[in-house]
Amino acid sequence: MLNLFDSYTTQSRDLHFSLLLAGYKHPTVTIRDDGWLPADVESPLKYIFKQAGVELSGKGRYFNQIDVSHFWEIDASGNDGRVLDKGQLRAHLNYVRQDNTRLVQSVEWYDRAGRIRLIEGYNQWGWKFRQTVRNASGQDMVTTYLTDQGAEVLTENHVTGVLIYNDPKGKERFFKDWPALVSYYLRQAGFDLKRVIINSLAAPFFTLLQVLDATEQNYLFWQEEIQGGIPGNMQFILDGNAGKTQVVVQQRHVFDQIEGLLAPNNRKKVSYLGYSYPFARLNQGHRVAVTFTNSDQVEKITELITALPEITFNIAAGTEMSGKLTALDRFSNVNLFPTVSGANIRLLMKEADLYLDINRGNEIFDAVRGAFENNMVIMGFADTLHQARYVAKENTFQEEQIDQMVAKLKKVTEDPQELEKTLQAQWQHADRVLPKDYQALLSKL
């Protein structure tokens, strides 16, 4: 069996983890490699690097370790960074995670007119492994993939779609697109292709079509919404044109939509199966709420603090706090944690059983997902939610519904049955299932 994903998104990771929990420890391949894949996830690019003799080891680069011209200045915060040449912006730094480690994933270089003309990608082993050139209109033209010694091993022409692989024997191999390259890689690497799991109707689907002769049973795990009707490539599968392939929908509301559109003879070809999540602990019912923010725009925080004196409010930031937030220290039930990172983040996650997703601005530390994995009750306002997938509808409020939020917080902290009911609703909203559900589905197909 093989997992074949387009990119290693949160949904890809959740499917991968669900399969592992259910005892399916077969290989996982991701086509789009951003340089930061987990060790147990393979990719065509990893294979190409290994074939070129590259040892995949080392550490990612910090913001002040990227390659810049002499005398240029690197100015960085906890969110991102920039390169300045006598005050003129020359590049923008993007971090791989918003966790205060400031490890660089990409650098966007500007021309004199302020247009991005070159994007350099840095990987988890610390070398510049990818360079993408853009034209003056902002269109990607060519991406070159490099070894740790700077040797070009793969070139992608974004205009024609053609990829050129420089193999270890010095031969240039031409592929018309990514599916052609990936199907070549899968056969060369010797993967078992009898059962293939894909989660996209893009490159993984077209790759599957090129290896159908080696497959016996395949699965499309559908993780997206649908717009108006069944996607064309999904209908292609249902019509029997992609071998023996089962469609598995991972969101209940999407499954209900698709089921209503299916012809009777296709209904057995579509199933529902959510995710088994990596919960770290149980909710202990502690009256402790936490919010992570890099902004002082934390909606209705003063009203919540004063209305709920029995709840301790821990407010943490990856940066220094403004006077607006530090003024909250006057309340006895508030603890402030500026420039928090590492072990302190984990400790705050472990101690709180409530997460308030009420900060405006970007989410930091993947906080909502972390709260979900720690089985916190998550509440927020409709305009401040960062990951609505993990927040049950009954825990999402309009800003003028502050009284309803206060009442709900009182209920879940005073009544264990209400707490359990609220957690169950949260799990259901996030399409939680058990490992045995995966075993039941995959064993019968």
Side-chain angles (χ1 to χ4, degrees):
M1 188 182 286
L2 175 73
N3 299 330
L4 181 60
F5 301 151
D6 187 76
S7 55
Y8 204 68
T9 61
T10 300
Q11 289 84 356
S12 296
R13 182 188 68 186
D14 286 341
L15 174 54
H16 185 194
F17 187 84
S18 299
L19 289 161
L20 290 173
L21 276 182
Y24 297 96
K25 299 181 180 180
H26 51 270
T28 294
V29 168
T30 293
I31 296 173
R32 307 290 180 180
D33 188 339
D34 66 355
W36 295 81
L37 295 177
D40 61 344
V41 177
E42 298 297 329
S43 74
L45 198 56
K46 278 188 178 181
Y47 176 81
I48 288 171
F49 284 147
K50 290 175 184 177
Q51 290 294 300
V54 176
E55 185 176 343
L56 303 182
S57 63
K59 296 181 180 180
R61 291 202 201 182
Y62 294 106
F63 72 94
N64 59 352
Q65 295 175 320
I66 64 166
D67 299 332
V68 298
S69 297
H70 289 300
F71 307 115
W72 286 10
E73 175 189 0
I74 300 176
D75 176 35
S77 68
N79 294 322
D80 56 12
R82 53 186 186 158
V83 178
L84 301 172
D85 174 18
K86 298 178 181 178
Q88 180 180 4
L89 179 65
R90 299 306 303 268
H92 179 258
L93 279 60
N94 299 299
Y95 301 147
V96 65
R97 291 181 295 271
Q98 292 294 312
D99 60 358
N100 254 2
T101 56
R102 305 191 187 193
L103 293 173
V104 176
Q105 182 174 41
S106 66
V107 181
E108 300 167 334
W109 292 95
Y110 299 93
D111 62 15
R112 294 289 182 181
R115 298 169 298 200
I116 297 174
R117 299 301 297 271
L118 174 68
I119 303 174
E120 297 176 328
Y122 287 84
N123 61 26
Q124 60 188 300
W125 305 292
W127 85 81
K128 191 189 306 177
F129 79 106
R130 182 180 62 217
Q131 293 180 323
T132 298
V133 176
R134 285 184 176 175
N135 62 19
S137 300
Q139 178 187 10
D140 290 347
M141 300 301 291
V142 176
T143 294
T144 304
Y145 296 89
L146 311 166
T147 69
D148 56 345
Q149 300 301 312
E152 297 183 6
V153 289
L154 183 66
T155 303
E156 178 181 6
N157 187 315
H158 293 283
V159 178
T160 65
V162 171
L163 296 108
I164 305 174
Y165 167 39
N166 299 314
D167 73 15
K169 296 180 180 180
K171 181 178 179 180
E172 288 187 341
R173 295 184 179 273
F174 291 78
F175 300 92
K176 66 176 183 178
D177 52 23
W178 274 102
L181 172 63
V182 177
S183 59
Y184 166 82
Y185 150 68
L186 294 178
R187 294 184 193 273
Q188 288 292 116
F191 287 106
D192 180 358
L193 301 176
K194 290 181 181 179
R195 293 208 291 174
V196 178
I197 292 173
I198 63 173
N199 68 341
S200 167
L201 288 173
F205 169 71
F206 291 107
T207 301
L208 176 63
L209 294 183
Q210 297 197 34
V211 297
L212 273 181
D213 61 300
T215 70
E216 296 176 359
Q217 169 69 64
N218 306 305
Y219 314 85
L220 166 64
F221 277 74
W222 184 250
Q223 301 174 320
E224 304 172 40
E225 302 289 332
I226 62 168
Q227 303 296 329
I230 295 174
N233 288 343
M234 185 184 294
Q235 189 62 56
F236 185 85
I237 290 173
L238 296 174
D239 290 341
N241 297 314
K244 189 178 179 183
T245 300
Q246 180 79 11
V247 177
V248 183
V249 183
Q250 299 217 261
Q251 297 180 81
R252 171 63 72 175
H253 74 278
V254 176
F255 172 75
D256 292 340
Q257 287 178 277
I258 291 176
E259 192 175 39
L261 298 170
L262 291 172
N265 62 313
N266 283 334
R267 286 178 181 165
K268 288 185 178 180
K269 299 178 183 178
V270 182
S271 307
Y272 164 76
L273 187 66
Y275 301 93
S276 295
Y277 292 101
F279 292 120
R281 63 178 178 88
L282 297 175
N283 191 298
Q284 302 296 315
H286 296 147
R287 295 179 178 180
V288 179
V290 65
T291 295
F292 290 95
T293 180
N294 268 354
S295 161
D296 61 8
Q297 303 301 309
V298 184
E299 294 300 325
K300 307 297 182 183
I301 187 61
T302 303
E303 291 89 333
L304 290 167
I305 291 168
T306 55
L308 297 162
E310 68 277 14
I311 293 179
T312 298
F313 291 83
N314 292 330
I315 304 171
T319 61
E320 294 291 343
M321 291 181 171
S322 71
K324 183 176 179 179
L325 284 185
T326 57
L328 297 175
D329 198 39
R330 69 185 186 275
F331 296 105
S332 61
N333 59 330
V334 172
N335 298 312
L336 301 178
F337 300 87
T339 62
V340 69
S341 62
N344 287 331
I345 295 172
R346 294 188 291 272
L347 183 61
L348 288 168
M349 284 287 191
K350 184 178 179 180
E351 290 182 344
D353 281 321
L354 306 166
Y355 188 83
L356 301 179
D357 190 18
I358 57 176
N359 62 294
R360 296 199 179 275
N362 295 333
E363 180 187 24
I364 59 172
F365 310 141
D366 199 13
V368 178
R369 174 58 187 241
F372 182 78
E373 290 185 4
N374 279 276
N375 262 317
M376 299 185 205
V377 170
I378 307 171
M379 295 188 193
F381 297 111
D383 291 340
T384 62
L385 295 187
H386 294 93
Q387 298 193 59
R389 175 185 173 192
Y390 307 115
V391 188
K393 290 182 179 179
E394 52 263 54
N395 291 340
T396 303
F397 304 88
Q398 300 300 321
E399 289 182 39
E400 61 270 19
Q401 294 178 310
I402 182 65
D403 291 341
Q404 288 94 317
M405 180 183 279
V406 168
K408 187 64 178 290
L409 285 166
K410 282 181 177 291
K411 280 185 179 180
V412 298
T413 55
E414 294 174 357
D415 184 350
Q417 291 185 339
E418 184 67 26
L419 173 61
E420 180 63 24
K421 177 183 174 183
T422 301
L423 286 172
Q424 292 282 353
Q426 187 166 285
W427 297 336
Q428 183 177 4
H429 179 76
D431 292 287
R432 183 214 180 187
V433 298
L434 299 176
K436 67 180 182 180
D437 298 315
Y438 272 78
Q439 296 164 354
L441 178 70
L442 294 177
S443 65
K444 75 179 182 181
L445 298 176

